[in-house]
Amino acid sequence: MDYLSRYWAFMAKYNVLNAFWVNISLTLAAGALALILGTIAVTMRISPVSSLRLASTFYVNVFRDIPLTVVMVIMASVVWMQLNVSFSNDFHVDFYILAIIGLGIYHSSFIAEALRSGINTVPVGQAEAARGIGLTFLQSTRIVVLPQAFRGSIAPIGNTIIALIKNTTVASVTGVSNETSSTMQAAIEMGPQFIFLIFLTFALGYVIIVIPVGLLSTSLSRRLAVKR
Amino acid sequence: MVDSGSYELFDPVGVEPDFNPDPVAQMINVQKHFGHLHVLKDINLTVNRGEVVVVIGPSGSGKSTLCRTINRLEPIDSGQILIQGKLLPQEGRDLARLRADVGMVFQSFNLFAHMSILDNVTLGPRKARKVPKAKAEAEALALLDRVGIKDQAKKLPAQLSGGQQQRAAIARALAMHPVLMLFDEPTSALDPEMINEVLDVMVSLAKEGMTMIVVTHEMGFARRAADRVVFMSDGLILEEGSPEAFFTTPQTDRAKDFLAKILHH
Ligand SMILES: Nc1ncnc2c1ncn2[C@@H]1O[C@H](COP(=O)(O)OP(=O)(O)O)[C@@H](O)[C@H]1O
Ligand SMILES: [Mg+2]
């Protein structure tokens, strides 16, 4: 008991809730970016223009195959330090935005692949009927194909989002310093006697965040499934 | 039936096609391959305004491909296809505009599975023709009424029977005020008891002067509604004639064989 209360007193120095909030906000922003980029990539992938298809294939394969850490290092050391890409005068803000961009690009490749599997569940007749009533490729994709593809790929998209939630810890690589993994590391350095409880605290935090996402994606994929 | 005057399905027809030909669709020396397979062999076909042409022939003879080339769901290798005298455009906006003028009804209905029947019918007018929502919905309801499924407007396609889905698909095509309707075996996927409800809609369209190309083995429909029957085999148009002449005195052995098979079926 005494041990536990000493642990609480120790942890009071660290803003654990705020650390989780940083990761959640990274997830929300990078997730939105990944969905947008992934949708664009998959639209290019099914477009009638072969150069767009090629570009999309290249993009998806490159970012799916490079380790996330490498993407994040590139964001920090090449994009920020070498290319001097900057968004504000505050380098903390820069690091945060670069982390979002890196996470968003990396996960967009997985979203694109998830959506492509969803598109494969949409019968070709749907797109043909859409073209048959005079819709352009983009209209047919946006209004007929993608809505059905999204509903058919909620489960794999959910898995990508769960991976993203955990992968936001890699944002420490681009210098985002107040998120969970760096907070945890700092706590362990200062209180090695609590190492087990520190791990447990952060692990539990992730479990609490991830479980509802998993449940939501399972129930949505069931409820929104397109009946044919 | 539609309230008279409130809504016209298509341009009124005043000409007798035989005397004053007004070609809506023309295929001139059309060739089409799938890889090494020669599926359309030098096809020449003209369909005049108000004409109903039934395309008949064994499975694999190229009937679907012929239909699909007319609104360029399939590109052709050589030859020309003209709609109302204009050459089919390449991909892009012009092609989308042309497809809006040519209605297509598929064997498998292909209603948009995630949309209500009403939304299925209004989508084309609203997005391709920029018709305001209220107007598009009023027209769609009139069309659904016409094909006898107005009370199903709010349902999803999967909640309808096959016959109802196919009638909805016809309404969806009609909503674009097409100059030509293509039907690719519209009743082949239906349970027998639902075939007539779809054929009846098609016959009434034909009687009102719609220009139609219909791939079907329904001889009853051909006799009731067709001006001409085209017999295809192995990518060739082997015979063309009135339904009566074709069904009673087919000229080629292949047509005789084929008719014997579907008659004894
Ligand atoms: N997309 C395609 N790719 C390759 N071969 C095809 C394709 N569509 C049809 N075919 C082939 O072309 C021939 C004609 O097909 P189709 O036009 O569907 O005939 P029908 O409608 O008369 O049964 C068939 O041998 C068919 O297998
Ligand atoms: Mg066919």
Side-chain angles (χ1 to χ4, degrees):
Chain A
M1 232 36 245
D2 191 38
Y3 180 69
L4 268 187
S5 51
R6 270 192 289 126
Y7 175 64
W8 277 123
F10 168 74
M11 281 310 277
K13 281 178 281 187
Y14 300 95
N15 199 337
V16 177
L17 281 183
N18 185 64
F20 272 104
W21 170 244
V22 171
N23 290 76
I24 290 173
S25 68
L26 285 170
T27 302
L28 293 177
L33 182 63
L35 280 170
I36 293 167
L37 293 177
T39 305
I40 294 172
V42 84
T43 304
M44 287 165 63
R45 185 69 180 260
I46 60 169
S47 84
V49 185
S50 62
S51 57
L52 293 182
R53 286 199 300 271
L54 204 72
S56 164
T57 309
F58 180 76
Y59 172 90
V60 167
N61 281 297
V62 163
F63 286 104
R64 206 184 39 181
D65 297 349
I66 299 182
L68 176 60
T69 321
V70 175
V71 174
M72 299 304 264
V73 167
I74 290 172
M75 292 312 292
S77 58
V78 179
V79 177
W80 191 72
M81 289 200 324
Q82 303 290 322
L83 303 177
N84 292 316
V85 175
S86 180
F87 306 94
S88 77
N89 298 325
D90 183 352
F91 64 89
H92 285 112
V93 175
D94 275 359
F95 288 157
Y96 184 77
I97 292 175
L98 286 168
I100 289 171
I101 295 173
L103 287 164
I105 290 176
Y106 176 81
H107 290 89
S108 70
S109 64
F110 293 89
I111 298 280
E113 287 299 89
L115 279 174
R116 202 156 66 94
S117 75
I119 286 175
N120 288 335
T121 69
V122 182
V124 287
Q126 295 284 307
E128 289 187 346
R131 287 193 280 157
I133 54 170
L135 300 194
T136 61
F137 165 75
L138 278 179
Q139 286 176 322
S140 137
T141 304
R142 180 168 56 81
I143 305 169
V144 173
V145 178
L146 281 179
Q148 296 186 54
F150 267 109
R151 288 148 171 252
S153 50
I154 288 172
I157 289 175
N159 288 338
T160 305
I161 299 296
I162 288 173
L164 168 62
I165 292 172
K166 298 187 282 184
N167 286 342
T168 53
T169 51
V170 182
S172 58
V173 173
T174 63
V176 176
S177 55
N178 50 353
E179 52 78 60
T180 50
S181 73
S182 30
T183 306
M184 183 177 84
Q185 220 163 349
I188 289 171
E189 273 168 29
M190 296 307 288
Q193 70 275 31
F194 298 120
I195 186 161
F196 177 71
L197 281 176
I198 293 170
F199 273 132
L200 199 67
T201 304
F202 283 94
L204 208 65
Y206 274 99
V207 169
I208 289 169
I209 294 169
V210 166
I211 283 181
V213 175
L215 291 177
L216 186 72
S217 103
T218 307
S219 103
L220 279 182
S221 77
R222 214 174 294 137
R223 272 193 301 139
L224 294 182
V226 181
K227 294 180 187 63
R228 300 191 191 282
Chain B
M1 281 292 136
V2 181
D3 327 337
S4 58
S6 71
Y7 179 64
E8 257 176 358
L9 279 181
F10 39 83
D11 301 327
V13 200
V15 282
E16 188 62 39
D18 293 343
F19 300 118
N20 192 357
D22 173 11
V24 172
Q26 286 168 280
M27 303 179 78
I28 303 163
N29 302 333
V30 170
Q31 307 276 358
K32 165 81 186 171
H33 290 79
F34 282 119
H36 291 297
L37 192 65
H38 200 171
V39 271
L40 295 181
K41 298 173 182 162
D42 199 30
I43 297 291
N44 286 283
L45 181 68
T46 299
V47 182
N48 291 308
R49 198 171 303 279
E51 241 191 327
V52 176
V53 172
V54 158
V55 181
I56 197 168
S59 160
S61 56
K63 307 179 299 295
S64 295
T65 307
L66 181 139
C67 261
R68 294 162 57 82
T69 57
I70 293 176
N71 65 355
R72 212 171 182 282
L73 284 178
E74 294 289 354
I76 56 176
D77 302 340
S78 64
Q80 293 182 316
I81 298 179
L82 296 96
I83 301 295
Q84 302 197 105
K86 279 206 284 286
L87 213 53
L88 275 193
Q90 300 294 307
E91 286 294 339
R93 285 195 179 277
D94 289 344
L95 180 61
R97 212 165 294 140
L98 169 114
R99 287 196 180 121
D101 289 335
V102 178
M104 175 121 189
V105 175
F106 303 85
Q107 179 175 345
S108 48
F109 329 135
N110 295 347
L111 290 172
F112 307 128
H114 62 307
M115 287 182 188
S116 73
I117 296 301
L118 184 64
D119 289 344
N120 263 273
V121 180
T122 58
L123 183 63
R126 290 186 56 196
K127 298 296 170 182
R129 293 260 163 79
K130 311 291 178 212
V131 176
K133 185 174 184 206
K135 183 163 185 263
E137 290 193 343
E139 292 197 359
L141 286 171
L143 278 168
L144 289 173
D145 194 23
R146 186 197 142 90
V147 300
I149 51 169
K150 191 181 181 187
D151 47 344
Q152 314 287 329
K154 296 283 177 219
K155 291 190 185 166
L156 288 172
Q159 296 171 289
L160 270 59
S161 73
Q164 291 172 326
Q165 287 191 53
Q166 194 60 298
R167 286 183 281 153
I170 294 173
R172 175 176 68 181
L174 290 175
M176 300 304 291
H177 302 255
V179 295
L180 169 69
M181 287 279 283
L182 306 169
F183 294 83
D184 188 6
E185 302 206 31
T187 58
S188 298
L190 296 177
D191 293 334
E193 75 271 18
M194 293 173 186
I195 290 178
N196 279 329
E197 66 194 42
V198 172
L199 290 181
D200 287 346
V201 169
M202 292 167 58
V203 170
S204 80
L205 268 180
K207 298 284 181 229
E208 286 165 37
M210 174 61 82
T211 312
M212 298 164 59
I213 297 177
V214 184
V215 177
T216 185
H217 293 165
E218 294 291 335
M219 287 201 289
F221 172 80
R223 285 178 189 269
R224 271 160 82 199
D227 298 299
R228 203 157 25 121
V229 172
V230 168
F231 176 72
M232 277 187 82
S233 180
D234 287 325
L236 286 163
I237 293 183
L238 285 187
E239 289 192 35
E240 235 182 296
S242 74
E244 212 42 50
F246 176 74
F247 290 123
T248 50
T249 53
Q251 301 298 304
T252 58
D253 287 343
R254 286 207 219 168
K256 283 176 197 160
D257 272 3
F258 175 74
L259 286 175
K261 273 181 201 134
I262 62 169
L263 283 174
H264 294 135
H265 181 63

